[in-house]
Amino acid sequence: MRLLSIADETNSPPASLPDDPAQGSPGMAGVLGGTEIAIAYKIGYVLNFYREPSFRRIETEFGITRPEIVTLIVLNYREGVTASDICEFSGHLKANISRGILALEKKGLLRREADAADRRRQFLFMTEAGRALYARYIPMLREREKAMLACLTAAERRSFERILDKLAAHVPDWAAAGEL
Amino acid sequence: MRLLSIADETNSPPASLPDDPAQGSPGMAGVLGGTEIAIAYKIGYVLNFYREPSFRRIETEFGITRPEIVTLIVLNYREGVTASDICEFSGHLKANISRGILALEKKGLLRREADAADRRRQFLFMTEAGRALYARYIPMLREREKAMLACLTAAERRSFERILDKLAAHVPDWAAAGEL
DNA sequence: CGATAATAGTCTCATATGAGACATTACTCT
DNA sequence: AGAGTAATGTCTCATATGAGACTATTATCG
């Protein structure tokens, strides 16, 4: 019921994934592996159904935007970090993170302390209200993650995590420096 | 050089991924596996550095938005599909896909044909110009995908693909129906 | 030490995206 | 057959996001 509204009419996954052109409509499941960027496309596909509707729901229900959502997630892991840290470890743009931080502060969900060693920087901390808000939206994200991964065996899941770790650690190797 | 501008100043991955608090700034790499939605977060992290800057680049360089980019990618795989098909197999919202289709048509990159069996529906086809545009942006996406995956062994890559296939096929099981 | 470059975070403006309404068409049920 | 419901794609309006400029601070270089 609660999750029913997440992926309503506007963003529905296919009812099933056949790729049999003999069906009325030409089968489309093959597109997932058939694009020229098959792996990236599939990652995006899965994530589009997980992250986008989830974040939209949180935004509607709690009135916080993506950068705010992500900022609280990062701060839950570790407080006292800076906006730049959050940008680096989320892949979000600094203007958006900055805007999110200001919004959270305005809502009393976050506080800032200047870094004595570098007056440009600020350490960020969740307030109790921020912590409480985080606690309200994270269970849904966890449940949906669990549902998303339910189809994997324990071994597959471990393998997937290991590979993801590897991909994540490797990001700095290709994501900033020119590849040409 | 060409890719250098993709993940410029505003969206930089960490220079490295240490998680050693002994360093000046508390290590942050642990956040990737330390959030309460570790796998989803990591997927998003990797994709944030792949897809978001790539799409932003294409948008700037070719003047087409995400829904337009994705529409051409899907049509490259198979023409004659409908807007709904694209929504289903991309995870994008119908209003955005619709808007993208109209924009592509206006730019002469796509044409539409009514479905005789259902007057609400339209089959979509790339024009030659659309095909040419696709051919201009897809190599960069491919190259970046390749770079993203360069750290994996062949076996890891196969395993990753198999698991992604499984996750993708499983999406309809949890992404629409309520899980409660 | 002074000039220059880089960094951290914020701001303004433009534009893409999302919510929900809408018209048309198709389907279902009595 | 007709009413009610659902599906398809488009539109309007609101809002989130992105580009680039900006100020203050810090780092680097000769």
Side-chain angles (χ1 to χ4, degrees):
Chain A
M1 180 65 76
R2 179 174 164 82
L3 292 178
L4 188 60
S5 62
I6 285 212
D8 252 359
E9 35 97 12
T10 57
N11 179 19
S12 302
S16 61
L17 284 176
D19 190 22
D20 179 3
Q23 296 197 342
S25 158
M28 282 292 294
V31 67
L32 298 184
T35 71
E36 295 200 49
I37 48 173
I39 291 182
Y41 193 90
K42 268 182 284 195
I43 298 177
Y45 173 81
V46 173
L47 203 64
N48 284 344
F49 283 106
Y50 173 78
R51 187 171 67 178
E52 312 309 322
S54 303
F55 279 14
R56 287 198 291 263
R57 173 69 187 273
I58 294 168
E59 195 169 304
T60 300
E61 192 163 331
F62 300 104
I64 59 173
T65 61
R66 289 160 170 263
E68 292 169 74
I69 296 167
V70 167
T71 294
L72 292 180
I73 287 175
V74 173
L75 289 182
N76 179 65
Y77 170 72
R78 173 165 296 164
E79 301 204 67
V81 300
T82 65
S84 295
D85 293 328
I86 296 175
C87 291
E88 286 201 38
F89 288 95
S90 67
H92 285 256
L93 296 177
K94 71 177 180 177
N96 298 332
I97 293 294
S98 171
R99 186 189 296 120
I101 287 165
L102 291 175
L104 288 172
E105 187 184 43
K106 188 166 187 179
K107 293 166 186 167
L109 302 172
L110 167 154
R111 64 182 177 83
R112 301 188 283 179
E113 284 180 19
D115 176 357
D118 183 340
R119 299 279 299 284
R120 297 171 299 181
R121 298 155 64 88
Q122 300 153 11
F123 297 127
L124 310 173
F125 302 88
M126 276 205 272
T127 61
E128 282 309 307
R131 203 171 305 283
L133 184 66
Y134 169 83
R136 286 177 64 200
Y137 71 75
I138 200 69
M140 182 269 283
L141 288 174
R142 290 184 66 179
E143 285 160 26
R144 287 196 92 233
E145 185 198 43
K146 184 177 172 184
M148 174 174 77
L149 300 172
C151 61
L152 301 184
T153 65
E156 281 170 336
R157 182 174 173 147
R158 279 194 301 272
S159 173
F160 192 52
E161 286 189 89
R162 241 185 11 253
I163 292 170
L164 275 179
D165 281 340
K166 203 164 177 182
L167 290 176
H170 177 59
V171 161
D173 296 345
W174 58 267
E179 267 9 288
L180 301 185
Chain B
M1 181 66 75
R2 179 172 163 84
L3 292 177
L4 189 62
S5 61
I6 286 212
D8 254 0
E9 34 97 15
T10 55
N11 177 21
S12 302
S16 64
L17 286 176
D19 189 25
D20 180 5
Q23 295 196 340
S25 157
M28 282 291 293
V31 66
L32 299 184
T35 71
E36 296 201 49
I37 49 173
I39 291 183
Y41 193 90
K42 267 181 282 192
I43 298 177
Y45 173 81
V46 173
L47 202 64
N48 284 344
F49 283 106
Y50 173 77
R51 186 172 68 178
E52 312 309 322
S54 303
F55 279 13
R56 287 198 291 265
R57 174 68 189 275
I58 294 170
E59 194 167 304
T60 300
E61 192 163 329
F62 300 104
I64 59 174
T65 60
R66 287 160 170 266
E68 292 170 73
I69 296 169
V70 167
T71 294
L72 291 180
I73 287 175
V74 174
L75 289 182
N76 180 66
Y77 169 71
R78 172 163 297 164
E79 301 204 69
V81 299
T82 65
S84 295
D85 293 328
I86 296 176
C87 292
E88 286 200 40
F89 289 95
S90 66
H92 284 255
L93 297 177
K94 69 175 179 178
N96 297 334
I97 294 293
S98 171
R99 188 189 294 121
I101 286 166
L102 291 175
L104 287 172
E105 186 184 43
K106 186 166 186 176
K107 293 166 186 167
L109 302 173
L110 167 154
R111 64 181 176 85
R112 299 187 284 178
E113 284 181 18
D115 177 354
D118 183 341
R119 299 279 298 286
R120 298 170 300 181
R121 296 156 65 87
Q122 300 151 9
F123 297 127
L124 310 172
F125 303 89
M126 274 203 274
T127 62
E128 282 308 307
R131 205 171 303 283
L133 183 67
Y134 170 83
R136 285 177 66 200
Y137 71 74
I138 199 67
M140 179 270 282
L141 289 175
R142 292 182 66 179
E143 284 160 28
R144 286 197 93 231
E145 185 200 41
K146 184 176 173 185
M148 174 175 78
L149 301 172
C151 62
L152 302 184
T153 65
E156 281 169 336
R157 182 173 173 149
R158 280 195 300 271
S159 172
F160 192 53
E161 286 191 90
R162 238 184 14 251
I163 292 170
L164 275 179
D165 281 339
K166 202 164 178 182
L167 289 176
H170 178 60
V171 161
D173 297 343
W174 58 269
E179 274 356 300
L180 301 185

